[in-house]
């Protein structure tokens, strides 16, 4: 099977090259993102393999079908970047539903501890032998309240971690799992009660801007907000207002609603065109990272194996257990 692998980075090759050999797949690594003007690079391929910032529209799906491409292999659990309705019945969309939920939950915790205790600022200060701790006072997490939105695999891992800090944890999910040791509340109550809010639900029509101006106004003064899910769960302009009003004490964002074309790229010698992102970067209590919650060796290995398993199942005409 020949696979056009878009947005290939050096770290992708480390994990996928040996797997391609093991699974007898012919992978064409392409540095280009998957866009309408790069689709032709996949001509002669049976499948394309894409990452989260490769946006696949219905027009692109029709083009892929004309090119006899049979599948879109997602190197991710999330699938909001593909027009799934347009794909249905035309082309297979196969994802990696679970690779390492702990990788993302541990990362969300790292972001929380960073913005709460200012370790990002302490690091730069001490590198410069500025040993002053003025302005770096944090708060204890012990016995504070956390609100988890989305109690799937990552949310559950996050609940376990935060309980280790002896935090009181509330949760909200469209489909509550009553086997979990957590108290479900509705969203307004979660906003009202939580010192820390961490987002672990997918991006859907229902969750788009789930954190907006009204939600922020319901939150506690001095709330910490962590988003490792998808950028568009948060209305960034409302978030900036909440930071300016000092309603929000700290924010950790591993995702951003306009991250496509910016995240994963080295733009250090470019003029940044996104004023909202540039404004966000000016807050000392905001940590933005480049969608890397998943990025552990364990998760990368699992993604490579599961993607190859998806391709193999397709090649052998087996049941496609990871079809979206
Ligand atoms: P999951 O499918 O196991 O869990 C998602 C949960 O969200 C489910 O319990 C579901 O019922 C709930 N949900 C769905 N719609 C909801 C709504 N409207 N309101 C509240 N809850 C809702 O997914 P997961 O593996 O835990 O991943 C969660 C999200 O994390 C993914 O959708 C993805 O966007 C993100 N993610 C980010 C990274 C990263 O590197 N930062 C890596 C992997 C996943």
């Amino acid at each position: 099977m020949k696979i056009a692998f878009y947005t290939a980075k050096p770290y992708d090759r480390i994990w996928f090259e040996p797997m391609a050999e093991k699974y007898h797949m012919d992978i064409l690594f392409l540095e280009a993102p998957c866009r309408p003007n790069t689709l032709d690079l996949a001509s002669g391929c049976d499948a394309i393999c894409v990452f989260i910032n490769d946006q696949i529209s219905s027009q692109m799906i029709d083009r892929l079908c004309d090119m006899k491409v049979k599948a879109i292999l997602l190197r991710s659990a999330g699938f909001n970047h593909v027009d799934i309705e347009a794909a249905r019945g035309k082309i297979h969309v196969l994802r990696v539903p679970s690779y390492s939920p702990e990788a993302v939950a541990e990362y969300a915790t790292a972001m929380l501890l960073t913005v709460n205790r200012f370790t990002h600022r302490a690091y730069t200060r001490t590198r410069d032998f500025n040993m002053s701790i003025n302005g770096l006072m944090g708060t204890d997490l012990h016995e504070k309240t956390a609100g988890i939105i989305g109690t799937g695999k990552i949310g559950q891992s996050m609940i376990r971690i935060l309980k280790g800090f002896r935090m009181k944890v509330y949760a909200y999910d469209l489909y509550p799992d009553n086997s979990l040791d957590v108290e479900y509340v509705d969203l307004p109550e979660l906003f009202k009660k939580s010192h820390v809010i961490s987002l672990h639900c997918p991006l859907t029509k229902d969750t788009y801007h789930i954190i907006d101006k009204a939600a922020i106004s319901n939150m506690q003064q001095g709330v910490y907000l962590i988003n490792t899910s998808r950028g568009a769960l948060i209305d960034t302009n409302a978030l900036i207002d909440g930071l300016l009003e000092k309603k929000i004490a700290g924010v950790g964002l591993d995702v951003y609603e306009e991250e496509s074309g910016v995240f994963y790229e080295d733009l250090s010698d470019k003029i940044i065109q996104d004023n909202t992102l540039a404004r966000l970067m000016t807050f000392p209590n905001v940590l933005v990272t480049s969608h890397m919650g998943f990025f552990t060796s364990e998760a990368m290995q699992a993604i490579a194996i599961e993607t190859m398993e998806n391709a193999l199942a397709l090649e052998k005409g087996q049941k496609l257990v990871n079809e979206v």
Side-chain angles (χ1 to χ4, degrees), residues 157-275:
S157 178
M158 192 66 182
I159 291 168
R160 285 193 293 274
I161 293 171
L162 297 183
K163 286 198 168 205
F165 285 101
R166 299 278 187 271
M167 294 185 82
K168 166 80 192 157
V169 184
Y170 292 104
Y172 170 76
D173 196 297
L174 210 51
Y175 308 99
D177 178 348
N178 292 320
S179 69
L180 299 180
D181 178 23
V182 71
E183 188 177 332
Y184 282 97
V185 292
D186 61 21
L187 264 187
E189 196 175 346
L190 183 144
F191 292 146
K192 213 163 85 194
K193 285 187 158 155
S194 305
H195 297 108
V196 171
I197 295 172
S198 193
L199 307 181
H200 300 289
C201 58
L203 175 62
T204 64
K205 280 200 294 290
D206 293 339
T207 60
Y208 177 79
H209 285 184
I210 196 168
I211 305 298
D212 59 6
K213 193 178 168 61
I216 292 170
S217 70
N218 267 332
M219 291 177 192
Q220 289 204 5
Q221 187 69 28
V223 65
Y224 288 90
L225 193 57
I226 307 296
N227 187 9
T228 55
S229 264
R230 284 293 179 267
L233 296 178
I234 298 182
D235 175 347
T236 314
N237 288 317
L239 182 76
I240 289 173
D241 289 344
L243 282 158
L244 288 170
E245 289 159 12
K246 300 197 177 142
K247 175 100 183 186
I248 303 173
V251 179
L253 299 178
D254 188 41
V255 287
Y256 167 60
E257 50 184 334
E258 301 296 336
E259 69 180 53
S260 182
V262 178
F263 281 20
Y264 303 126
E265 305 305 325
D266 179 0
L267 305 179
S268 52
D269 61 353
K270 301 276 188 307
I271 306 292
I272 298 304
Q273 303 292 333
D274 183 334
N275 287 339

